[in-house]
Amino acid sequence: MRTHTCGQLRATDVGSSTTLCGWVQNNRDHGGVIFIDLRDRHGLTQVVFDKDICGEEGKALADKLRGEWVVQVTGEVRSRGEKNANKNLATGAIEVFAKTLTVLNQAQTPPFEIDEHAKVGEEVRLKSRFLDLRRPAMQKRLIARHKAMQSARRFFDANGFVEVETPALCKYTPGGARNFLVPSRLHQGQFYALAESPQLFKQLLMVAGYDRYVQIAKCFRDEDLRNDRQPEFTQIDLEMSFIDMEDIMGIGEGMARTLWKEVLGVDLPAPFRRMTWTEAMNSYGSDKPDLRFGMPIIDLTDWAPTSGFSVFQKAVEAKGVVRALNAKKANELLSRRTLDTLTEFAKGLGAKGLAWIKIGADPSKAEDWQGPAAKNITPEARAELARRLDVGPGDVLFFGADSFKGVCTVLGAVRVELGRNLLKLAKWDDWQFLWVHSAPLYEWSEESHSFVANHHPFTCPYPEHVQFLASDPGKVLSKSYDMVLNGNEIGGGSIRIHDAATQGAVFRALGISEEEAQKKFGFLLHALSFGAPPHGGMAFGLDRLIMLMTDAESIRDVIAYPKTQRGRDEMLDCPTPVSDRQLKDLHIVTTVQQA
RNA sequence: GCUCUCAUCGUCCAACGGCCAGGACACCAGAUUGUCGAUCUGGGAAUGCGGGUUCGAUCCCCGCUGAGGGCGCCA
């Protein structure tokens, strides 16, 4: 139907005949001559209708064209000349003088403009996603996603990985993310679960001897949604045998470097920076620190009792911590009003308040220390504080006094809010990659008053920490690693346990009995007893990777058909109720009265 | 489960509790031979739903629905 795309013709094609197909982007009627911008995903080409060439009939038909009509145009490629060339268009050196015009399909006026410049709300875009996907910005992101997937597959193939598909329909496993359940028609009252990840299948592939496995896998989690979380998302999932942490981190880095090179044309430095989980939490209040700016968090717990400020003193007496960060030279940028907003922000995260001090021109003068915490601090404590926080003229200090976890949450979030939004210290394409490794194997759960697995119960502890499993589980660190980019966890994994003795000790520390372990994970334990090789792996969040690579505002902008925050598909308008007949076939009764 | 923000023409925004709810783009009609986010003239087009306060509500209050951000959750 066409000889060229709308992004293809150049000055060298002048004089030749061409047939183009596409959507009418724009219609400029000058009376004697009509210009049409014809669009497809490859670009725009200007088509000219002149009655001397297309005839009175052709011109009359061109006059009827409206936005988004689908047309086929045959004509002659002519040079626009120096004066009329459009330098903003790849095809701007030429234009097509139409001889014949065929309307392939008419179109209703779209609910929003298919235009790069138009600002359109997301709800409207999602309702007519097929129109939204016509826009160049969305096409650019989906094509980047395609390139990244191809690039990743080539990388893993070249490194000896085998891509194996694993089931989406699998077994409900307790713990971890909530599963979507799928009722079985053939087995009354029984359910499959949609896979929240291929974790167990890939470990079994290692037992089966597949060495190096990779899969671009759909995963399903019935949890609440976020800016970077969808109920259905894609992982680049991998697992390797006869390796240790270094090997996996090497492959992970290699993949990231390949993607950035092949999709963005960017050379990433090697090797990536590394820090332990403990360092990350202590210095940045987060297990996924954004390193595009500094502002480290400084511990002041030993200073607090001498500070003279009772809020700090009481926090320490309650076995909490006192920490602070210094926003250098931020005084002018942070108005009193902004600081009030930031205080509300901190309260929203569970803080009782947010103590801050604005430093004036001369940090040695008491009157140049202003803010809710300033006047309570003794002169001696102030001098010590100035030394520890490297206080200079125009700085603004922020304090957190609470439990370790509470202070990390609040100061970690305040630091990011300052760096990204208030002080604008972060550029989207300043790629600060980082490995955060060796997280604690267990985390104390206030809810259940017991230790729970931080990652999953097959994560391997450091051999030298195994001795603490029974006596002091909180001290045990794991062979785990997360790849972090600009404050986002883009991938993570661990070395797995492959011997029964360690696995038993880990289960005991979690309070899982032999019997319970058999019931929940029997099939994996069974498989591990048949000669499981030492193995480990990781998984990347493909959607998040693409979101960061394309500077998208949310994960929804890199998914062709995403769900809203409440898990609805605005275009299909689902989920929906089903008929009584369907429910009957599935042996299901709902407790909800349908309208 | 909790919390915050938002909801006005097709779209994006505006409107001290009071005047015909205003503008831009889009759309429709007309004009126009070199535009390209064309231009000019004219036109049609809206306060999410349900209560309340008030002489009077787009505006204030309550509830609902929907969208978005966050906490919890996401081993």
PDB file of all heavy atoms in Angstrom, chain A residues 162-179:
ATOM      1  N   VAL A 162      20.351 -19.686  29.203  1.00  0.00           N
ATOM      2  CA  VAL A 162      19.256 -20.349  28.489  1.00  0.00           C
ATOM      3  C   VAL A 162      17.952 -19.722  28.961  1.00  0.00           C
ATOM      4  O   VAL A 162      17.704 -19.629  30.164  1.00  0.00           O
ATOM      5  CB  VAL A 162      19.238 -21.856  28.809  1.00  0.00           C
ATOM      6  CG1 VAL A 162      18.064 -22.539  28.112  1.00  0.00           C
ATOM      7  CG2 VAL A 162      20.553 -22.503  28.405  1.00  0.00           C
ATOM      8  N   GLU A 163      17.139 -19.243  28.014  1.00  0.00           N
ATOM      9  CA  GLU A 163      15.851 -18.675  28.410  1.00  0.00           C
ATOM     10  C   GLU A 163      14.820 -19.778  28.521  1.00  0.00           C
ATOM     11  O   GLU A 163      14.588 -20.517  27.561  1.00  0.00           O
ATOM     12  CB  GLU A 163      15.383 -17.599  27.419  1.00  0.00           C
ATOM     13  CG  GLU A 163      14.058 -16.971  27.861  1.00  0.00           C
ATOM     14  CD  GLU A 163      13.757 -15.614  27.222  1.00  0.00           C
ATOM     15  OE1 GLU A 163      14.524 -15.172  26.342  1.00  0.00           O
ATOM     16  OE2 GLU A 163      12.749 -15.006  27.623  1.00  0.00           O
ATOM     17  N   VAL A 164      14.259 -19.920  29.716  1.00  0.00           N
ATOM     18  CA  VAL A 164      13.247 -20.949  29.969  1.00  0.00           C
ATOM     19  C   VAL A 164      11.999 -20.263  30.494  1.00  0.00           C
ATOM     20  O   VAL A 164      12.086 -19.416  31.386  1.00  0.00           O
ATOM     21  CB  VAL A 164      13.748 -21.968  31.020  1.00  0.00           C
ATOM     22  CG1 VAL A 164      12.679 -23.045  31.260  1.00  0.00           C
ATOM     23  CG2 VAL A 164      15.057 -22.600  30.576  1.00  0.00           C
ATOM     24  N   GLU A 165      10.846 -20.632  29.928  1.00  0.00           N
ATOM     25  CA  GLU A 165       9.583 -20.086  30.424  1.00  0.00           C
ATOM     26  C   GLU A 165       9.077 -20.922  31.583  1.00  0.00           C
ATOM     27  O   GLU A 165       9.139 -22.148  31.553  1.00  0.00           O
ATOM     28  CB  GLU A 165       8.546 -20.075  29.303  1.00  0.00           C
ATOM     29  CG  GLU A 165       8.856 -19.050  28.241  1.00  0.00           C
ATOM     30  CD  GLU A 165       7.911 -19.173  27.072  1.00  0.00           C
ATOM     31  OE1 GLU A 165       8.178 -20.033  26.222  1.00  0.00           O
ATOM     32  OE2 GLU A 165       6.920 -18.435  27.038  1.00  0.00           O
ATOM     33  N   THR A 166       8.560 -20.253  32.594  1.00  0.00           N
ATOM     34  CA  THR A 166       8.012 -20.937  33.757  1.00  0.00           C
ATOM     35  C   THR A 166       6.532 -20.581  33.871  1.00  0.00           C
ATOM     36  O   THR A 166       6.093 -19.592  33.299  1.00  0.00           O
ATOM     37  CB  THR A 166       8.767 -20.510  35.033  1.00  0.00           C
ATOM     38  OG1 THR A 166       8.671 -19.095  35.164  1.00  0.00           O
ATOM     39  CG2 THR A 166      10.227 -20.930  34.961  1.00  0.00           C
ATOM     40  N   PRO A 167       5.759 -21.381  34.605  1.00  0.00           N
ATOM     41  CA  PRO A 167       4.308 -21.173  34.621  1.00  0.00           C
ATOM     42  C   PRO A 167       3.878 -19.868  35.270  1.00  0.00           C
ATOM     43  O   PRO A 167       4.522 -19.397  36.204  1.00  0.00           O
ATOM     44  CB  PRO A 167       3.790 -22.353  35.452  1.00  0.00           C
ATOM     45  CG  PRO A 167       4.892 -23.341  35.470  1.00  0.00           C
ATOM     46  CD  PRO A 167       6.158 -22.566  35.372  1.00  0.00           C
ATOM     47  N   ALA A 168       2.803 -19.289  34.737  1.00  0.00           N
ATOM     48  CA  ALA A 168       2.140 -18.188  35.419  1.00  0.00           C
ATOM     49  C   ALA A 168       1.151 -18.758  36.432  1.00  0.00           C
ATOM     50  O   ALA A 168       0.973 -18.224  37.516  1.00  0.00           O
ATOM     51  CB  ALA A 168       1.419 -17.292  34.431  1.00  0.00           C
ATOM     52  N   LEU A 169       0.509 -19.873  36.059  1.00  0.00           N
ATOM     53  CA  LEU A 169      -0.396 -20.556  36.975  1.00  0.00           C
ATOM     54  C   LEU A 169       0.444 -21.456  37.863  1.00  0.00           C
ATOM     55  O   LEU A 169       1.056 -22.408  37.392  1.00  0.00           O
ATOM     56  CB  LEU A 169      -1.400 -21.409  36.198  1.00  0.00           C
ATOM     57  CG  LEU A 169      -2.482 -20.683  35.408  1.00  0.00           C
ATOM     58  CD1 LEU A 169      -3.309 -21.703  34.643  1.00  0.00           C
ATOM     59  CD2 LEU A 169      -3.356 -19.860  36.335  1.00  0.00           C
ATOM     60  N   CYS A 170       0.514 -21.146  39.154  1.00  0.00           N
ATOM     61  CA  CYS A 170       1.277 -22.036  40.022  1.00  0.00           C
ATOM     62  C   CYS A 170       0.611 -22.136  41.379  1.00  0.00           C
ATOM     63  O   CYS A 170      -0.581 -21.884  41.506  1.00  0.00           O
ATOM     64  CB  CYS A 170       2.734 -21.626  40.092  1.00  0.00           C
ATOM     65  SG  CYS A 170       3.011 -19.971  40.681  1.00  0.00           S
ATOM     66  N   LYS A 171       1.390 -22.515  42.390  1.00  0.00           N
ATOM     67  CA  LYS A 171       0.809 -22.851  43.680  1.00  0.00           C
ATOM     68  C   LYS A 171       0.893 -21.677  44.637  1.00  0.00           C
ATOM     69  O   LYS A 171       1.894 -20.967  44.671  1.00  0.00           O
ATOM     70  CB  LYS A 171       1.569 -24.049  44.261  1.00  0.00           C
ATOM     71  CG  LYS A 171       1.044 -24.544  45.593  1.00  0.00           C
ATOM     72  CD  LYS A 171       1.864 -25.719  46.083  1.00  0.00           C
ATOM     73  CE  LYS A 171       1.495 -26.068  47.522  1.00  0.00           C
ATOM     74  NZ  LYS A 171       2.057 -27.351  47.922  1.00  0.00           N
ATOM     75  N   TYR A 172      -0.147 -21.501  45.428  1.00  0.00           N
ATOM     76  CA  TYR A 172      -0.132 -20.468  46.449  1.00  0.00           C
ATOM     77  C   TYR A 172       0.954 -20.800  47.463  1.00  0.00           C
ATOM     78  O   TYR A 172       1.064 -21.925  47.931  1.00  0.00           O
ATOM     79  CB  TYR A 172      -1.495 -20.403  47.158  1.00  0.00           C
ATOM     80  CG  TYR A 172      -1.460 -19.543  48.381  1.00  0.00           C
ATOM     81  CD1 TYR A 172      -1.449 -18.154  48.262  1.00  0.00           C
ATOM     82  CD2 TYR A 172      -1.404 -20.103  49.657  1.00  0.00           C
ATOM     83  CE1 TYR A 172      -1.393 -17.351  49.388  1.00  0.00           C
ATOM     84  CE2 TYR A 172      -1.354 -19.308  50.788  1.00  0.00           C
ATOM     85  CZ  TYR A 172      -1.344 -17.929  50.650  1.00  0.00           C
ATOM     86  OH  TYR A 172      -1.271 -17.141  51.753  1.00  0.00           O
ATOM     87  N   THR A 173       1.807 -19.814  47.741  1.00  0.00           N
ATOM     88  CA  THR A 173       2.816 -20.003  48.791  1.00  0.00           C
ATOM     89  C   THR A 173       2.623 -18.937  49.851  1.00  0.00           C
ATOM     90  O   THR A 173       2.478 -17.763  49.528  1.00  0.00           O
ATOM     91  CB  THR A 173       4.251 -19.891  48.234  1.00  0.00           C
ATOM     92  OG1 THR A 173       4.340 -18.709  47.443  1.00  0.00           O
ATOM     93  CG2 THR A 173       4.618 -21.106  47.429  1.00  0.00           C
ATOM     94  N   PRO A 174       2.619 -19.336  51.106  1.00  0.00           N
ATOM     95  CA  PRO A 174       2.382 -18.367  52.183  1.00  0.00           C
ATOM     96  C   PRO A 174       3.581 -17.435  52.321  1.00  0.00           C
ATOM     97  O   PRO A 174       4.682 -17.760  51.909  1.00  0.00           O
ATOM     98  CB  PRO A 174       2.226 -19.247  53.420  1.00  0.00           C
ATOM     99  CG  PRO A 174       3.004 -20.482  53.097  1.00  0.00           C
ATOM    100  CD  PRO A 174       2.888 -20.680  51.614  1.00  0.00           C
ATOM    101  N   GLY A 175       3.355 -16.297  52.897  1.00  0.00           N
ATOM    102  CA  GLY A 175       4.438 -15.350  53.092  1.00  0.00           C
ATOM    103  C   GLY A 175       4.695 -14.597  51.810  1.00  0.00           C
ATOM    104  O   GLY A 175       4.343 -15.051  50.725  1.00  0.00           O
ATOM    105  N   GLY A 176       5.276 -13.435  51.928  1.00  0.00           N
ATOM    106  CA  GLY A 176       5.563 -12.667  50.741  1.00  0.00           C
ATOM    107  C   GLY A 176       4.342 -11.949  50.224  1.00  0.00           C
ATOM    108  O   GLY A 176       3.376 -11.733  50.953  1.00  0.00           O
ATOM    109  N   ALA A 177       4.386 -11.642  48.932  1.00  0.00           N
ATOM    110  CA  ALA A 177       3.326 -10.839  48.349  1.00  0.00           C
ATOM    111  C   ALA A 177       2.023 -11.611  48.300  1.00  0.00           C
ATOM    112  O   ALA A 177       2.014 -12.833  48.188  1.00  0.00           O
ATOM    113  CB  ALA A 177       3.718 -10.396  46.945  1.00  0.00           C
ATOM    114  N   ARG A 178       0.926 -10.881  48.388  1.00  0.00           N
ATOM    115  CA  ARG A 178      -0.402 -11.481  48.234  1.00  0.00           C
ATOM    116  C   ARG A 178      -0.544 -11.972  46.794  1.00  0.00           C
ATOM    117  O   ARG A 178      -0.158 -11.275  45.861  1.00  0.00           O
ATOM    118  CB  ARG A 178      -1.446 -10.405  48.534  1.00  0.00           C
ATOM    119  CG  ARG A 178      -2.801 -10.933  48.935  1.00  0.00           C
ATOM    120  CD  ARG A 178      -3.738  -9.788  49.332  1.00  0.00           C
ATOM    121  NE  ARG A 178      -3.419  -9.213  50.630  1.00  0.00           N
ATOM    122  CZ  ARG A 178      -3.104  -7.932  50.848  1.00  0.00           C
ATOM    123  NH1 ARG A 178      -3.044  -7.086  49.861  1.00  0.00           N
ATOM    124  NH2 ARG A 178      -2.837  -7.497  52.058  1.00  0.00           N
ATOM    125  N   ASN A 179      -1.066 -13.174  46.641  1.00  0.00           N
ATOM    126  CA  ASN A 179      -1.224 -13.740  45.298  1.00  0.00           C
ATOM    127  C   ASN A 179      -2.592 -13.413  44.714  1.00  0.00           C
ATOM    128  O   ASN A 179      -3.567 -13.314  45.448  1.00  0.00           O
ATOM    129  CB  ASN A 179      -1.118 -15.271  45.357  1.00  0.00           C
ATOM    130  CG  ASN A 179       0.295 -15.728  45.679  1.00  0.00           C
ATOM    131  OD1 ASN A 179       0.568 -16.183  46.776  1.00  0.00           O
ATOM    132  ND2 ASN A 179       1.187 -15.600  44.718  1.00  0.00           N
TER     133      ASN A 179
END
